[in-house]
Every structure is written in C-alpha cells, then in structure tokens.
Amino acid sequence: MSRRPLWAVLAPGEPAWLERRARAIAMTEEDEEDGKEQPFELIPGSGRYHAIVGTDPIDIGAETQIAEALSLECDEPVYSINVANDPWLVMSWRNGALDVLEDADPDSLAESLGCPLPGNESSSDSPARKPLRTVALIEGVRAEEAHRVLEEAAGEPLASRHYRLEDTPRGLRISSGTGDIGIADMTVSERFPHVTVYGVTASPRLDRFFVTVMRAGESIERFTQPLRPDPCVPTAGDIKGERAPERILAALGIPAGWFRNE
C-alpha cells in the first residue's frame, strides 16, 4: 500500500493472528458469506507492533472497534488513529478503556513502534518504508492438499486469491504476486497440525528478516534480525542451524531474489 490511510490500528502480536482477529471483529458472517473484501490491510512492522490500516471513508470507525476489542486480548496498549479529520484523533486503549492522546503525532507514534504508516512523504526514503514481503515453507504437505484446504477455508476458488503453491524438494512453498500471503500459512498449519511451517517476512535487502515457526496454527518460536524479542513467542537462535538470512533462505529453498520481486 502506498496511499495514505484514513485510519489505522497499531497493535502488538503475531501478524497472522492480528489479521484473523481484526477480520472477525470488523466483518460479520454475512460479509464473509457474500465474499466482501476485508476493509483493511495489515502491514507487518519491524518489531512487536504491526499496523492495520484502511483507506475507504466508509470504513472510518472500524479503528475504534478493532482497537477496543484487541486491547482486551493484549497485555500492551493498542492504539487507534483517525487521520481523516482535522485535527486527527489518536487514542490509546487498555482493557477496553480509551485515553485520548491529544498531543500525539500519528506518524511519530507509528515509527516509534516500528510500524510506520504508508504515504508519509517526510520519511518515504527511509529503510523502514521499504516493503516487506512474506513467503512460507511448509514441510510434509503437497500443493494439491494445501489448495484444497485453502479453498475450503476461503469458500471460493483459490485462483482469485493470488496464491502461488509450489512443491519443492524441501516442502510446499506459498507465495503471492502481491507479496502478502495473508493467513494462508496459518490456515494450512491449523489443518495439518503435525507439520512444521516456516513463515518468512523480509525487506528487499534482507536487513529486516523474520522467521516464524508454527505448528498446529500456533507460533512456537521466532527468529528475528535485528533481534526483536517477543514475550509471547520463544526466540530462536537459528533456523535449520543457520543464522545468516541468505543461508536460512537457502536452507528453506526460498530464493533471496523473491523479496526483491525479481
């Protein structure tokens, strides 16, 4: 996303879990059944916090609904931002209670949490603005099996969701032409609880590099570079015995050029 969002939620936690919970909060069963697109995009941050952002004026107000509900499930504060109006409105949420941050600047707050908002011209050239892309490697599952469960979960043909499912010598690789695989890796992990899933999110130069290891739909450990400890997920010292991003990708059979959209 390059457009300036009209609203945002800054929340701590696993990106796939945040996206799933935000979808459940913001969308009704009827929305899901009608195939309505989710009213937000999740942008992974470089640490504990991630941004949930929306650009459609009709969805303004979703930020408070999502932030309030997430604050009941997070130990750290959740922030909601509305920049559609002048002046903007920034609120901090804890256990469902809000506090208006009258002097808070949305971009400064987001950048301080490691999840800068899109469309901020003043910092568009900074490393934090470079896009993150995600790909997953799933051991013990074939593309045909994953295709079936993803279609069952989506309730629609998989082709419209732009996933790329490739059987490789090291396992099933899931990627997307958009760079975002949503919760596809978590969905497959939940349906095949005994397999190991490696979700890799990285910047083009691999200077921001995160690997989340999942089983049964739950994160069991995470490797980060630079180091960003997560109090909810154990930190991994290596992935398959490797510590350098390029060597980890080689061990997983994921081309480094994929993150540069080559």
Side-chain angles (χ1 to χ4, degrees):
M1 172 184 288
S2 59
R3 287 192 297 160
R4 179 70 167 168
L6 298 178
W7 60 267
V9 174
L10 311 178
E14 169 69 24
W17 174 81
L18 285 173
E19 184 172 43
R20 183 174 62 182
R21 289 295 300 122
R23 183 185 292 116
I25 295 164
M27 299 182 67
T28 64
E29 291 184 3
E30 289 76 14
D31 290 337
E32 295 277 5
E33 292 172 357
D34 293 338
K36 179 182 177 181
E37 293 186 1
Q38 64 185 28
F40 61 83
E41 178 181 352
L42 188 139
I43 302 177
S46 59
R48 177 71 174 145
Y49 277 77
H50 310 282
I52 300 167
V53 303
T55 59
D56 194 330
I58 198 172
D59 297 314
I60 293 173
E63 75 280 4
T64 57
Q65 180 185 12
I66 294 171
E68 179 180 9
L70 287 179
S71 73
L72 298 172
E73 303 179 58
C74 297
D75 294 331
E76 300 167 77
V78 177
Y79 301 91
S80 65
I81 296 172
N82 182 333
V83 295
N85 298 318
D86 186 14
W88 54 65
L89 178 63
V90 180
M91 294 188 287
S92 172
W93 298 80
R94 284 181 179 271
N95 298 319
L98 69 87
D99 181 23
V100 177
L101 306 181
E102 296 183 358
D103 297 325
D105 174 75
D107 292 302
S108 297
L109 173 62
E111 290 182 8
S112 72
L113 296 173
C115 48
L117 300 176
N120 179 12
E121 297 297 330
S122 64
S123 58
S124 60
D125 295 329
S126 68
R129 291 293 176 181
K130 295 181 179 178
L132 296 176
R133 296 170 65 85
T134 300
V135 63
L137 189 282
I138 304 175
E139 298 177 335
V141 175
R142 303 289 295 175
E144 182 179 357
E145 297 171 306
H147 189 282
R148 174 176 52 80
V149 301
L150 289 172
E151 281 200 335
E152 290 175 354
E156 62 182 355
L158 190 61
S160 65
R161 301 182 69 83
H162 308 293
Y163 293 138
R164 296 175 181 171
L165 307 180
E166 304 170 84
D167 288 319
T168 77
R170 294 174 177 82
L172 169 66
R173 186 165 62 218
I174 301 181
S175 59
S176 167
T178 66
D180 178 18
I181 63 172
I183 61 171
D185 52 347
M186 175 180 286
T187 300
V188 175
S189 179
E190 289 174 340
R191 297 296 185 93
F192 298 95
H194 302 299
V195 307
T196 302
V197 176
Y198 300 87
V200 182
T201 300
S203 61
R205 292 188 301 172
L206 306 183
D207 51 336
R208 287 189 290 159
F209 187 84
F210 315 96
V211 182
T212 300
V213 185
M214 286 187 287
R215 289 198 188 100
E218 300 290 337
S219 301
I220 60 174
E221 61 179 356
R222 179 175 296 118
F223 176 93
T224 64
Q225 192 175 95
L227 179 64
R228 297 278 185 173
D230 187 327
C232 299
V233 182
T235 298
D238 64 78
I239 298 295
K240 291 188 175 293
E242 303 291 351
R243 294 181 175 83
E246 294 84 354
R247 294 185 65 84
I248 290 174
L249 291 176
L252 296 175
I254 299 173
W258 188 88
F259 294 95
R260 295 188 289 269
N261 198 23
E262 295 179 354

